[in-house]
Amino acid sequence: MCYLDEVRPPDDMPGVRSVPLISVRDLTKRFPGVVANDSVSLDLLPGEVHALLGENGAGKTTLISMLYGLLQPDGGSIAMDAQRVTIRNPRHAMDLGIGLVAQHFNLARRHSVAENLAVGLRGTPFWRPTKALQKRAAELTERYGLEVRMNAQVAGLSPGERQRVEILKAVMQGARVLILDEPTSVLTPQEADALLKVVADMRRDGRGILFISHKLGEVLRIADRITVLRGGKVVGRRAGGGAEASDLARLMVGAPTATPQRLGIPPEGEPVLRVNGVWVRGRRGQALRGLDLAVRPGEILGVAGVAGNGQSELAQVLTGLARPDKGTVTLAGLDIGRLSPREVRKLGVAYIPEDRRAEGVAGSMSVTENLVLRQVRDKEFARGPVIDWRKAEAFAAAAVARFDVRTPSLATAARTLSGGNVQKIVLARELSGRPSLVVASHPTYGLDVGSTAMTHERLLAQRERGAAVVLVSEDLDELRALSDNIAVLFAGRVVGTLPISEAITEAGWERLGLLMGGSAAA
Amino acid sequence: MELELLTTTLARALAFGTPLLLAALGEVVAERAGVVNLGMEGMMMLGAVAGFIVAAATGSLPLALLVAMLAGVAVAALHGVIATFLLANQFVSGLAITIGGVGLANLLGKEWVGKPLAAPMLPFDVPVLSDIPLLGPAFFTRQYALTYAALVLALVVWLVLFRSRPGLTLRTVGESPAAADAAGANVRRVRFLAVLVGGAMAGLAGAYLSLAYRPAWGENITNGMGWIALGLTILALWHPLRAVPAALLFGAFFTLSFRLQAVLPPELLTLLPYLVTVLALTLIAWRGGRGAVGAPEALGLPYRRGERE
């Protein structure tokens, strides 16, 4: 089947004659309650670097999952070389010439580089499969400057080297289309520069590169064309040459939709929480790099930023789950950096964790048990080592009524409740002890409208009674609605803090986008 | 005098280490593909009893060996289905197979207890090699063919695992099933086949005891060897060639526990394989994190496509 007649030159590149390597037309993918990709169209030409720009949740990952055969589209079509294709699985994608370098590397850590390359290759000999590929690998290594040590074990390689192995693997498997998903997020600046050079060399050889990123600077440097996604839709296309960072930032974050519920009365007094020059190592290297922030009593500090810029580690360091390698965290003048989570909690820190089902509740335990987890050692509920279950249940019943937890009974396992009700249990438990600091990570992620509104009310109520609130969120509308100040995290540091009065102006809005994209101009 | 003690100890260590080596090689294959098989002991018992009954009934050793291996394979298939297709807990499945397998083998062998085998596998001297001083009496005198088969198998397993394409695929399945899957390997089939190989080797190990080493059937004939083979797998760091000296070492512990009864309580020496295994595990954990040594990364983890590792 040939669909050549359907192929039209890209709208924004009239006069281009070459047949696109990949043509995506009106691709749609729905998940329960959300349209992750809504009629997305896109062309990738030979010798083109096409950047896909967007925030988290914009639909970038869904789109590449469909291009790599990990998800099947609900509507629309994908064509390769003007032939319509159904990409069944990753192996099929590779056979078609599509390679993906994902954010999480798909390598056997204890194999050598050569073994990792050999395992995916077709037609390697039965004996010594790693020997036959050395020559070809050496050629490609030289051609693209993909320096890798063939006999080194992957576990001992830096993220940059592992990425080069992934790229080499894709190219050896015959990838004409290379999808790079946030490729510089794990790299040092020097490695990122080297990668951009590799990308340029591949473009020169007529390969097509789909470059997924949220970093404006590198996109402007490398891309021939830029497609901006927001909320699952293509909201703009720009030619790489003439694009402006501020224009792209505005496209990426969109126009403000909700009006703020209130303008914060600027809180007074001395900060109760001070974080000074904190460095923390995360699972993927240095996560916080000299982070500073301060929060006053009665202030909600919104923390904005694209996921993976240190948000999780910030929440952990504030709640005693991570210890700073350098720097200090003080709460009401007391250094809490070295304290255990239990000691931190005793000082009045409430934590509404990112993953409410895994970290917020013990799923197979009852509603009552989950509600008293925090206070179970207090005199109120315990006589020595024995828990007074009558009192615990009375407390739980009151909390369930106050927070409107919809549960069949107090003995029901928390796991069986909906996300909104699980969050209500977390809120009821965490906010019951008159905390002086509330750390909330993505508290409304995945919740329905009602539960979201209730969560917002509870956080505002904590602010009214004088608690300091650190609200980490990717939802800019939420941050605008609740925060007194908005701090933007980028690469483990606060790169800018805007009072809410500024954040709601058009200029402030644009500045937020630029800060989130790591644009130095901001 | 001391020399003779040394050579006879080595000879006994080799004879005693043979079933350990056979079973450990099977476990190395299964675990390199990512499946733990705690059913080793049960599979060895069933192999031992099946081999003995067939040999006693037909007098054919090749047939007895084949049936012993098939008995191991049959039980391994059960474990394979549970562990790789139903994605259930491998440890529970393996334990159940050991407990059930030991009981079933004892039941099947009940009327054969104490009956001698008319035509057992006989030890022999390897021509020429047995005349070499020291080495001859230590390794080439009055050993069984299965012992040499086990040594050859160690080499074969190593060649396949580390020098061939299917071996590379198998190891990738055990290290990173997601990477193997993306490379087009059928993760479940590879794991299932690896478990079957492990079962066949366990059956062979059992048959060595009932057809050659004893040669008779007795209740609990394996006497915990399946568990020691699991420890051996760890001590050998999941490497088939390193399993050879490790098996010799464990065999020596057993022999010495008989020889040194007058000096040391035998229980102390029979304890040594377990102590050494614990020590090996401690050392691995100590140096762990660098990834150079240690268990395959996906060992014991069921694989579902699309789940992040």
Side-chain angles (χ1 to χ4, degrees):
Chain A
M1 280 195 293
C2 185
Y3 283 79
L4 245 184
D5 51 318
E6 277 185 24
V7 175
R8 50 183 194 261
D11 301 336
D12 49 339
M13 294 180 86
V16 167
R17 283 274 165 264
S18 52
V19 175
L21 288 166
I22 287 193
S23 262
V24 171
R25 286 287 171 273
D26 303 322
L27 215 55
T28 298
K29 180 73 191 174
R30 295 179 200 89
F31 293 115
V34 58
V35 183
N37 270 197
D38 189 354
S39 271
V40 172
S41 296
L42 185 93
D43 285 303
L44 180 65
L45 300 170
E48 179 188 38
V49 177
H50 194 142
L52 199 56
L53 195 63
E55 287 186 279
N56 294 94
K60 296 173 295 180
T61 305
T62 305
L63 179 61
I64 57 178
S65 296
M66 288 190 284
L67 290 177
Y68 200 57
L70 290 163
L71 289 174
Q72 294 304 319
D74 296 323
S77 66
I78 302 170
M80 282 205 74
D81 307 316
Q83 296 278 120
R84 192 167 168 165
V85 290
T86 302
I87 302 168
R88 293 189 299 270
N89 53 46
R91 177 80 244 180
H92 188 207
M94 264 180 249
D95 289 343
L96 288 167
I98 302 172
L100 168 67
V101 178
Q103 274 175 288
H104 299 269
F105 299 137
N106 204 3
L107 298 170
R109 294 191 334 121
R110 301 199 318 154
H111 281 6
S112 71
V113 170
E115 285 174 320
N116 268 294
L117 294 175
V119 80
L121 278 184
R122 291 264 158 107
T124 48
F126 185 92
W127 293 111
R128 316 213 61 155
T130 54
K131 216 177 164 189
L133 57 83
Q134 303 271 2
K135 206 173 133 237
R136 172 96 180 110
E139 277 169 27
L140 288 167
T141 297
E142 182 153 357
R143 181 169 190 91
Y144 296 121
L146 289 165
E147 266 166 62
V148 290
R149 292 166 286 155
M150 292 300 281
N151 295 316
Q153 198 183 36
V154 168
L157 303 185
S158 72
E161 285 175 292
R162 290 183 203 196
Q163 186 177 61
R164 292 199 286 277
V165 176
E166 287 274 33
I167 294 173
L168 191 58
K169 192 166 95 175
V171 175
M172 285 186 77
Q173 282 166 358
R176 292 175 298 139
V177 172
L178 203 61
I179 305 172
L180 302 176
D181 188 6
E182 302 279 0
T184 57
S185 62
V186 295
L187 302 182
T188 64
Q190 293 77 17
E191 285 177 322
D193 281 345
L195 172 73
L196 294 187
K197 215 187 137 290
V198 170
V199 168
D201 287 347
M202 298 217 167
R203 160 169 58 190
R204 204 189 47 219
D205 274 3
R207 296 178 205 270
I209 290 105
L210 196 57
F211 192 93
I212 288 94
S213 181
H214 66 265
K215 294 183 186 164
L216 299 173
E218 64 188 33
V219 163
L220 286 170
R221 231 177 101 190
I222 194 77
D224 298 306
R225 265 195 300 169
I226 302 161
T227 296
V228 186
L229 279 182
R230 191 178 67 238
K233 288 188 185 137
V234 175
V235 291
R237 296 178 201 277
R238 298 287 185 271
E244 297 251 348
S246 57
D247 173 39
L248 291 173
R250 211 167 22 240
L251 278 174
M252 199 161 82
V253 295
T257 51
T259 51
Q261 283 171 11
R262 43 150 205 94
L263 275 179
I265 310 142
E268 309 256 308
E270 280 297 296
V272 62
L273 172 73
R274 284 178 192 275
V275 179
N276 289 321
V278 160
W279 289 67
V280 169
R281 238 190 320 276
R283 255 192 306 177
R284 290 205 283 149
Q286 202 69 44
L288 298 184
R289 301 164 168 270
L291 179 136
D292 298 305
L293 56 81
V295 193
R296 296 183 167 80
E299 173 186 352
I300 297 184
L301 177 72
V303 177
V306 177
N309 277 300
Q311 288 92 330
S312 309
E313 289 80 4
L314 171 62
Q316 284 169 359
V317 89
L318 295 181
T319 52
L321 292 165
R323 288 190 179 184
D325 298 322
K326 265 192 270 176
T328 56
V329 183
T330 54
L331 182 67
L334 190 69
D335 189 346
I336 62 168
R338 308 265 147 223
L339 301 185
S340 73
R342 202 169 100 77
E343 290 164 330
V344 171
R345 298 197 143 214
K346 273 178 111 171
L347 293 172
V349 177
Y351 181 34
I352 296 149
E354 197 173 324
D355 185 344
R356 61 183 76 99
R357 282 188 185 279
E359 292 176 70
V361 293
S364 54
M365 283 164 69
S366 72
V367 171
T368 301
E369 286 169 326
N370 273 296
L371 279 167
V372 299
L373 270 184
R374 203 182 145 93
Q375 295 103 325
V376 84
R377 291 179 196 229
D378 297 356
K379 281 203 188 100
E380 204 186 333
F381 297 115
R383 282 191 217 105
V386 181
I387 297 171
D388 185 340
W389 284 111
R390 266 214 337 253
K391 282 190 186 160
E393 272 170 24
F395 170 82
V400 162
R402 200 151 37 94
F403 282 80
D404 189 28
V405 182
R406 309 278 168 84
T407 173
S409 80
L410 290 176
T412 304
R415 161 168 42 79
T416 60
L417 303 180
S418 72
N421 284 304
V422 167
Q423 189 70 323
K424 287 175 189 171
I425 292 177
V426 174
L427 289 168
R429 181 184 68 219
E430 296 296 321
L431 303 182
S432 64
R434 303 184 62 77
S436 56
L437 171 65
V438 179
V439 180
S441 285
H442 312 283
T444 60
Y445 181 80
L447 295 187
D448 59 33
V449 180
S451 306
T452 299
M454 199 211 73
T455 305
H456 287 170
E457 275 166 33
R458 296 291 173 180
L459 290 175
L460 286 171
Q462 289 301 319
R463 172 185 181 271
E464 297 312 317
R465 54 159 284 273
V469 180
V470 175
L471 169 64
V472 177
S473 179
E474 277 166 23
D475 183 344
L476 286 178
D477 290 333
E478 174 172 87
L479 289 175
R480 274 161 35 95
L482 300 181
S483 309
D484 296 294
N485 292 294
I486 297 180
V488 180
L489 270 191
F490 185 80
R493 293 180 53 226
V494 173
V495 289
T497 305
L498 284 75
I500 190 65
S501 53
E502 191 190 331
I504 55 167
T505 63
E506 185 140 342
W509 192 245
E510 187 178 306
R511 183 149 173 253
L512 272 183
L514 286 169
L515 286 169
M516 286 169 66
S519 188
Chain B
M1 175 58 201
E2 283 86 9
L3 274 184
E4 199 197 316
L5 179 71
L6 181 70
T7 54
T8 46
T9 301
L10 281 173
R12 298 308 294 157
L14 186 60
F16 210 91
T18 298
L20 299 176
L21 178 59
L22 284 168
L25 288 175
E27 188 68 16
V28 165
V29 172
E31 294 199 4
R32 278 282 179 180
V35 185
V36 175
N37 180 6
L38 296 188
M40 248 1 188
E41 177 83 358
M43 292 175 194
M44 279 177 74
M45 280 292 282
L46 285 166
V49 77
F52 185 85
I53 293 174
V54 170
T58 68
S60 163
L61 277 177
L63 188 65
L65 289 176
L66 184 69
V67 172
M69 288 169 77
L70 287 179
V73 168
V75 193
L78 182 67
H79 183 59
V81 168
I82 293 170
T84 68
F85 291 102
L86 305 180
L87 307 175
N89 188 313
Q90 303 174 4
F91 299 88
V92 175
S93 160
L95 276 175
I97 282 173
T98 282
I99 294 166
V102 170
L104 182 64
N106 283 334
L107 179 71
L108 291 172
K110 207 157 196 163
E111 45 186 292
W112 302 92
V113 173
K115 292 185 184 159
L117 206 54
M121 188 180 283
L122 295 173
F124 67 101
D125 295 352
V126 180
V128 185
L129 292 178
S130 58
D131 297 331
I132 304 174
L134 289 182
L135 286 181
F139 296 121
F140 300 108
T141 308
R142 293 195 57 73
Q143 299 287 356
Y144 302 94
L146 270 182
T147 300
Y148 302 115
L151 293 171
V152 172
L153 276 170
L155 193 66
V156 171
V157 170
W158 175 75
L159 275 173
V160 171
L161 279 183
F162 292 97
R163 287 288 180 272
S164 82
R165 181 160 40 85
L168 174 62
T169 306
L170 185 145
R171 286 187 295 120
T172 308
V173 163
E175 295 290 340
S176 172
D181 192 18
N186 187 332
V187 172
R188 292 180 181 188
R189 191 170 66 197
V190 169
R191 287 190 162 178
F192 186 69
L193 289 175
V195 174
L196 294 191
V197 169
M201 300 290 278
L204 205 57
Y208 171 85
L209 290 172
S210 66
L211 300 180
Y213 187 76
R214 286 289 174 96
W217 170 253
E219 205 164 278
N220 296 329
I221 188 173
T222 57
N223 195 22
M225 280 189 180
W227 296 112
I228 295 174
L230 288 169
L232 189 57
T233 307
I234 296 165
L235 185 66
L237 298 173
W238 293 268
H239 195 289
L241 292 184
R242 278 194 290 248
V244 174
L248 262 178
L249 179 70
F250 281 12
F253 289 153
F254 274 89
T255 314
L256 290 174
S257 73
F258 292 116
R259 293 207 157 235
L260 303 180
Q261 272 185 28
V263 200
L264 279 170
E267 289 81 2
L268 205 64
L269 278 159
T270 42
L271 197 70
L272 274 179
Y274 302 101
L275 275 182
V276 170
T277 303
V278 170
L279 200 68
L281 273 174
T282 313
L283 283 175
I284 292 168
W286 201 302
R287 294 180 40 188
R290 287 181 214 169
V293 294
E297 295 221 308
L299 183 61
L301 305 174
Y303 175 66
R304 289 180 191 85
R305 184 178 281 171
E307 279 184 1
R308 291 245 181 253
E309 281 169 273

